Amino acid sequence: GMLKPFTIYRCAVAAYTSVGMGPFTTYLYFETDEAAPSSAPEALSFDSDVTSTMLSLHWLPPLSNNHNGIIRSYIVKLTETNTNIVTTYNTTETTITISSLHPYYIYECSVAAVTIDIG
């Protein structure tokens, strides 16, 4: 089966013949490599005191069993819906304040967690 990323496993081997099973070896421990998070950050929200040119976003990390490694940063994408211009921000925090927005524009935002790869 599939091994889960960023997980410690232990393994032992025993020979089996027509006479029966022999003794097991000592355990060998190994850790699987990191991978991209398997889910997005949770509970994306914004402050209620948003202005026409500034926005503060907040979120929670992905569920811990979906980290698949050490969360090193987050990528926030902000898209102006009427121009389709995408601006990308990087942060190590679970909050970001974005300024220099255009008044009365509609924006879409998404957040991805990053280990050694983008989730």
Side-chain angles (χ1 to χ4, degrees):
M2 284 290 279
L3 297 180
K4 184 166 174 39
F6 202 61
T7 302
I8 297 173
Y9 291 91
R10 70 179 189 172
C11 178
V13 178
Y16 186 82
T17 67
S18 59
V19 178
M21 187 166 46
F24 279 93
T25 62
T26 57
Y27 282 111
L28 169 69
Y29 291 85
F30 65 95
E31 184 174 11
T32 52
D33 291 335
E34 290 185 76
S38 51
S39 70
E42 304 270 318
L44 177 61
S45 63
F46 60 90
D47 280 351
S48 59
D49 65 344
V50 62
T51 69
S52 62
T53 59
M54 186 177 72
L55 173 67
S56 290
L57 298 170
H58 309 275
W59 58 89
L60 297 173
L63 297 175
S64 61
N65 61 333
N66 294 331
H67 282 195
N68 297 334
I70 298 167
I71 303 292
R72 291 172 172 79
S73 64
Y74 297 92
I75 296 175
V76 178
K77 288 187 178 179
L78 194 68
T79 304
E80 295 179 7
T81 58
N82 49 336
T83 62
N84 285 325
I85 294 174
V86 178
T87 307
T88 303
Y89 303 89
N90 293 297
T91 181
T92 56
E93 305 297 323
T94 55
T95 184
I96 190 170
T97 299
I98 301 170
S99 55
S100 301
L101 300 176
H102 298 288
Y104 310 110
Y105 275 40
I106 297 173
Y107 291 89
E108 292 178 354
C109 61
S110 64
V111 180
V114 179
T115 56
I116 60 166
D117 202 0
I118 300 169

